[in-house]
Amino acid sequence: MKRLALLLGVVLFAAPTLSAGDFQYVGVKKCKTCHKKEKIGNQYGKWQEMKHAKAFEALKTDKAKEAAAKLGIDDPTKSEKCLKCHTTGYGKGGYDLSNPPEKNAKFEAVQCEACHGPGSVYKKKKIMVGLSKGEIKPEEVGLIIPDENVCLGCHGKGKGNPFEKDFNFEEAKKKIAHPVPKS
């Protein structure tokens, strides 16, 4: 108990001094460690069933290549216009064309951190417990509670996606719901 109190004290003391640059992308495998368990809602399993999990693979299809060509894009898997919405953390420490392929592989698709922010700090169980108890504010550890504006970063007309339809946040939110059950 003393260790937990000490850790929370350090986090609460240090958190206000953290900036956005202090939060690093870690990739979905880190999230999977805890979020594949049924007792907390199996968010990872639900994500795997969503289009977000297949977003990068969609760029490799003939349909995507044809649409990209109409926009003057040779290869959608190498275009910033496509990658900013089909990968995680594009150009912000996650997926980046200057990275070696093995580093980029862990950021392919629209993973947890694409919506919830870089998880290097909040990935820790003790931090998550503190968050769930309200002892830690999400923004202090880089956790984003997604709202419509987060989704509109990629979805909605005018985002350059030739496949985009009208975006209805409330309907989309229902499709991707992955809550942690109340204990």
Side-chain angles (χ1 to χ4, degrees):
M1 193 62 160
K2 282 184 181 181
R3 289 172 109 185
L4 179 59
L6 179 62
L7 176 68
L8 285 174
V10 168
V11 168
L12 293 173
F13 175 76
T17 64
L18 294 173
S19 68
D22 294 322
F23 307 119
Q24 306 300 314
Y25 289 91
V26 297
V28 72
K29 286 184 180 179
K30 295 283 185 186
C31 305
K32 175 184 173 183
T33 303
C34 296
H35 291 280
K36 68 179 179 184
K37 299 172 182 168
E38 287 297 331
K39 71 179 183 177
I40 66 161
N42 189 16
Q43 294 81 12
Y44 177 78
K46 290 176 184 172
W47 169 77
Q48 284 186 302
E49 296 170 4
M50 296 177 201
K51 288 182 179 180
H52 283 151
K54 298 154 190 71
F56 187 79
E57 291 302 312
L59 296 177
K60 297 177 182 179
T61 66
D62 289 339
K63 187 175 176 182
K65 290 174 187 174
E66 288 173 26
K70 290 178 186 174
L71 296 171
I73 297 168
D74 292 331
D75 182 350
T77 66
K78 292 185 174 38
S79 169
E80 177 181 340
K81 290 179 182 179
C82 304
L83 294 172
K84 66 183 181 178
C85 291
H86 285 259
T87 63
T88 297
Y90 181 78
K92 298 181 281 185
Y95 196 98
D96 197 302
L97 290 171
S98 65
N99 288 342
E102 61 276 4
K103 181 174 182 185
N104 274 341
K106 74 181 201 176
F107 301 116
E108 291 177 353
V110 179
Q111 302 176 11
C112 312
E113 295 169 294
C115 304
H116 293 287
S120 60
V121 176
Y122 70 79
K123 71 178 181 175
K124 299 170 183 110
K125 183 177 180 181
K126 291 176 183 170
I127 300 294
M128 288 299 236
V129 169
L131 285 163
S132 69
K133 291 181 177 180
E135 298 167 346
I136 299 172
K137 293 178 182 170
E139 62 276 9
E140 292 173 347
V141 293
L143 178 64
I144 294 170
I145 307 302
D147 60 12
E148 185 171 9
N149 287 327
V150 170
C151 300
L152 288 173
C154 290
H155 293 281
K157 296 221 180 241
K159 297 299 176 187
N161 177 349
F163 303 109
E164 187 63 62
K165 299 173 183 78
D166 290 329
F167 180 73
N168 180 314
F169 175 69
E170 292 303 322
E171 289 301 314
K173 191 166 70 168
K174 290 175 192 172
K175 287 181 185 176
I176 64 164
H178 51 280
V180 174
K182 302 282 182 208
S183 42

